[in-house]
Amino acid sequence: MPNFTLFIVSDSVGETAGLVTKAAASQFRHDLESVSIKRFSYIEENSQLEEIVFLAKQQQALIVFTLVKESMRDHLRILCEELDVKSVDLLGPLIDEIGNQLGLEPFEEPGLVRQLDAHYFKKIEAIEFAVKYDDGRDMRGVLEADIVLLGVSRTSKTPLSQFLANKGYKVANVPLVPEVDPPAEIFSIDPTKCFGLYISVNQLNSIRKARLETLGLKDDANYAKIARIQQEIDYFNEITTKVGCEVIDVTNRAVEETANTILKTFTARKAN
């Protein structure tokens, strides 16, 4: 697939246009390595549009835009026609049709969806929560969390916490180390909101060796030795059994796959 450049132009953050564009581009290449996506957010002036279209002409980019003001959409279309730049209006046609159906004029105020979407604010709060209570920094998070993750080092606790946080769930994760007593809080919470992350000894050995090499250290450190890893896994099994939580095997599983398994179980339990 040849290299291809996409410009995302928005009078707000541009998150919606970015997601839709990536979804479309992924139908042609899963890794998107050959697709360059550049975002231009909070565009409010025609002069900004003129600069963007000129740059798109130079780079032979496709412009994908979400602009709520009709005057700016029209100006951008005219600029693209004059410079022979391809563009796609994601928002305009939908705004026009909804307006026709309702018999109303749009507000044309950028960012209104942020004000109306409570889920957005819930997601931001959850992301901040995941950062604050990452890696057992503060055990109060265990009591306040929607989901608690338990696991030894390098079982993707942090990226999994962030992924779930982006879904709006408050997540705290706790590292389990044989030499350190587990926090008392994990034994007092509802075990149904707690998930243990198990990984095979051999895969964890490979992951830890790679981590040491990345840090410029020798891969024969105790941290990556099979005997040490087995000791940690045994301790993990002991603690998760005592907690009574569900254990998920994350060996050779992507973060997204593990997250979906957790959410499926978590939502099913809440429904009962």
Side-chain angles (χ1 to χ4, degrees):
M1 181 177 178
N3 290 333
F4 181 53
T5 301
L6 286 157
F7 281 9
I8 306 296
V9 180
S10 175
D11 46 24
S12 187
V13 179
E15 182 179 21
T16 299
L19 290 173
V20 173
T21 300
K22 286 181 180 179
S26 69
Q27 294 300 310
F28 302 93
R29 190 178 179 92
H30 292 297
D31 56 19
L32 300 181
E33 288 182 354
S34 59
V35 179
S36 174
I37 299 178
K38 299 180 181 180
R39 186 181 298 186
F40 299 84
S41 304
Y42 301 109
I43 303 302
E44 300 178 347
E45 303 292 338
N46 286 339
S47 60
Q48 293 174 293
L49 293 177
E50 293 163 8
E51 293 176 4
I52 292 169
V53 175
F54 180 75
L55 188 61
K57 176 67 175 180
Q58 290 182 318
Q59 299 186 18
Q60 296 183 316
L62 168 65
I63 294 178
V64 179
F65 61 97
T66 52
L67 299 169
V68 298
K69 293 182 179 180
E70 184 177 6
S71 61
M72 291 195 70
R73 296 198 301 270
D74 290 342
H75 189 65
L76 179 56
R77 277 192 289 266
I78 291 171
L79 290 171
C80 288
E81 290 174 3
E82 290 177 347
L83 292 182
D84 193 26
V85 173
K86 300 297 182 181
S87 66
V88 177
D89 182 357
L90 290 182
L91 202 57
L94 186 56
I95 290 177
D96 292 342
E97 186 57 34
I98 291 175
N100 290 336
Q101 293 290 329
L102 295 176
L104 298 173
E105 293 295 322
F107 293 116
E108 294 195 344
E109 294 180 23
L112 280 183
V113 68
R114 298 290 183 214
Q115 299 175 30
L116 300 175
D117 191 355
H119 177 72
Y120 172 76
F121 294 103
K122 182 180 179 182
K123 182 175 75 171
I124 296 301
E125 183 181 0
I127 292 172
E128 292 174 347
F129 185 95
V131 172
K132 183 177 181 179
Y133 297 111
D134 181 47
D135 208 28
R137 292 176 183 171
D138 187 338
M139 287 305 116
R140 290 176 297 179
V142 171
L143 302 176
E144 300 173 14
D146 299 317
I147 297 172
V148 177
L149 305 177
L150 304 177
V152 301
S153 175
R154 312 309 296 177
T155 49
S156 298
K157 295 187 299 299
T158 295
L160 184 55
S161 295
Q162 288 295 326
F163 187 94
L164 292 169
N166 271 278
K167 300 291 185 180
Y169 295 91
K170 293 181 178 179
V171 184
N173 70 77
V174 180
L176 297 179
V177 183
E179 292 77 19
V180 180
D181 290 335
E185 287 83 355
I186 66 173
F187 301 111
S188 64
I189 62 174
D190 182 353
T192 62
K193 76 172 187 178
C194 189
F195 295 86
L197 306 179
Y198 170 83
I199 190 171
S200 73
V201 172
N202 288 334
Q203 185 178 13
L204 188 53
N205 172 252
S206 298
I207 291 173
R208 288 188 176 182
K209 281 186 175 181
R211 175 60 175 166
L212 290 171
E213 290 175 359
T214 301
L215 295 173
L217 303 173
K218 294 182 178 180
D219 65 4
D220 61 352
N222 189 49
Y223 174 74
K225 289 183 177 179
I226 293 291
R228 169 61 186 183
I229 292 174
Q230 185 62 63
Q231 179 189 10
E232 292 187 32
I233 296 299
D234 290 343
Y235 182 70
F236 165 85
N237 289 331
E238 175 188 340
I239 298 302
T240 52
T241 298
K242 187 175 179 181
V243 171
C245 64
E246 180 167 341
V247 173
I248 298 174
D249 190 343
V250 300
T251 306
N252 296 320
R253 297 181 76 173
V255 168
E256 293 87 348
E257 186 180 358
T258 303
N260 288 335
T261 299
I262 290 174
L263 291 179
K264 184 177 180 180
T265 303
F266 183 77
T267 53
R269 287 171 176 170
K270 288 190 69 176
N272 294 332

